[in-house]
Amino acid sequence: MALTDEGFASRRELQNKIGEESLDAAAQKLVAMGVEALQVQQIMKQNPELVRRRADTLGPIVMWLAGMGMCVDQVSKVVKEDPGLFHNDVRKTLIPRAGKLSAIGMNGSQLVKAIAKCPQILRLDHEDILQWLLDLGMEESQVAEAICTFPELLTLSIEENLKPKAKVLLEHGLSATQLVGCITRKPNLFSYSSDRLVYRVKVLHERGR
């Protein structure tokens, strides 16, 4: 399926940069994944480097994602939300990073859910965050549950986000055990502002948790 010119004046610019043949070959790979033709054009327009340099990685990565159990809609979502993922090597980068998550007890369905929701976690080295969570006193199963619920947790800065907000929670009355419970059940607390965190602690106290 070739791309059309309609609505995308930059197609000719892309042709000049990467060539008609490789542009349409990459487009066909994306369409074969289930990505709508219009969305393919938008991806190509916004990420010409993906096609020009690493179009050959589309197949192996898609096969790997599908092999993990991702459905077509989930793979399509990953492509649309994080085309930069396809600049990575399956064996050198993606498998080792997924392996670190498996090592803390995330099963296949949890990994698929987390990656589909936040594919950026495969492009980040999250060993430090995993260790920080364990050092708080969390069990590996609790860390796995938290990441499955809120995979964006792995994209946050320890020094600029996680530590300061954990400190806020502790300073406003949560015990270390309660903090672990909060992170396990509601890890998106770390996306809250400090004021909202304080309010959340107040609610927890009122409920006797």
Side-chain angles (χ1 to χ4, degrees):
M1 179 182 292
L3 300 179
T4 64
D5 290 325
E6 185 177 356
F8 291 89
S10 64
R11 173 177 171 84
R12 281 178 288 277
E13 296 174 8
L14 288 175
Q15 289 173 340
N16 292 334
K17 287 182 179 180
I18 65 178
E20 177 74 21
E21 183 175 348
S22 62
L23 176 63
D24 285 335
Q28 288 168 7
K29 289 180 181 180
L30 290 171
V31 171
M33 297 176 204
V35 184
E36 295 292 333
L38 182 62
Q39 292 168 333
V40 169
Q41 293 186 55
Q42 292 170 331
I43 290 170
M44 297 300 186
K45 178 180 178 181
Q46 296 169 7
N47 301 276
E49 192 70 9
L50 169 65
V51 183
R52 182 170 57 138
R53 294 184 58 189
R54 303 294 296 212
D56 59 310
T57 66
L58 284 170
I61 292 180
V62 169
M63 290 177 63
W64 178 69
L65 292 172
M68 293 180 67
M70 278 197 179
C71 66
V72 170
D73 287 345
Q74 288 173 317
V75 174
S76 176
K77 181 174 180 288
V78 168
V79 174
K80 288 179 284 188
E81 292 192 359
D82 190 23
L85 180 68
F86 293 86
H87 291 278
N88 292 274
D89 184 271
V90 173
R91 294 186 179 276
K92 293 180 180 179
T93 303
L94 304 186
I95 290 178
R97 288 181 178 162
K100 289 179 181 178
L101 297 176
S102 295
I104 63 166
M106 292 189 75
N107 60 38
S109 62
Q110 287 177 321
L111 273 173
V112 166
K113 180 179 177 181
I115 295 168
K117 186 175 181 183
C118 185
Q120 294 88 345
I121 64 175
L122 287 177
R123 294 197 287 111
L124 301 172
D125 187 353
H126 32 64
E127 189 170 348
D128 288 346
I129 292 179
L130 294 176
Q131 189 58 54
W132 182 79
L133 292 170
L134 293 170
D135 289 344
L136 284 179
M138 296 183 74
E139 300 290 339
E140 288 186 343
S141 60
Q142 293 174 313
V143 175
E145 182 180 342
I147 294 170
C148 183
T149 302
F150 184 62
E152 293 86 348
L153 182 67
L154 295 177
T155 70
L156 302 177
S157 165
I158 294 176
E159 297 299 328
E160 296 179 8
N161 189 302
L162 302 181
K163 281 186 177 180
K165 290 180 179 177
K167 183 179 179 181
V168 168
L169 291 169
L170 292 170
E171 287 179 343
H172 284 80
L174 285 192
S175 67
T177 300
Q178 288 174 320
L179 176 62
V180 166
C182 279
I183 298 173
T184 303
R185 293 189 304 271
K186 198 170 179 59
N188 65 329
L189 283 170
F190 287 108
S191 67
Y192 292 3
S193 67
S194 293
D195 288 342
R196 191 178 178 192
L197 275 178
V198 172
Y199 172 76
R200 180 64 180 172
V201 174
K202 181 180 178 181
V203 171
L204 290 173
H205 282 313
E206 289 174 352
R207 293 178 179 176
R209 295 184 182 179

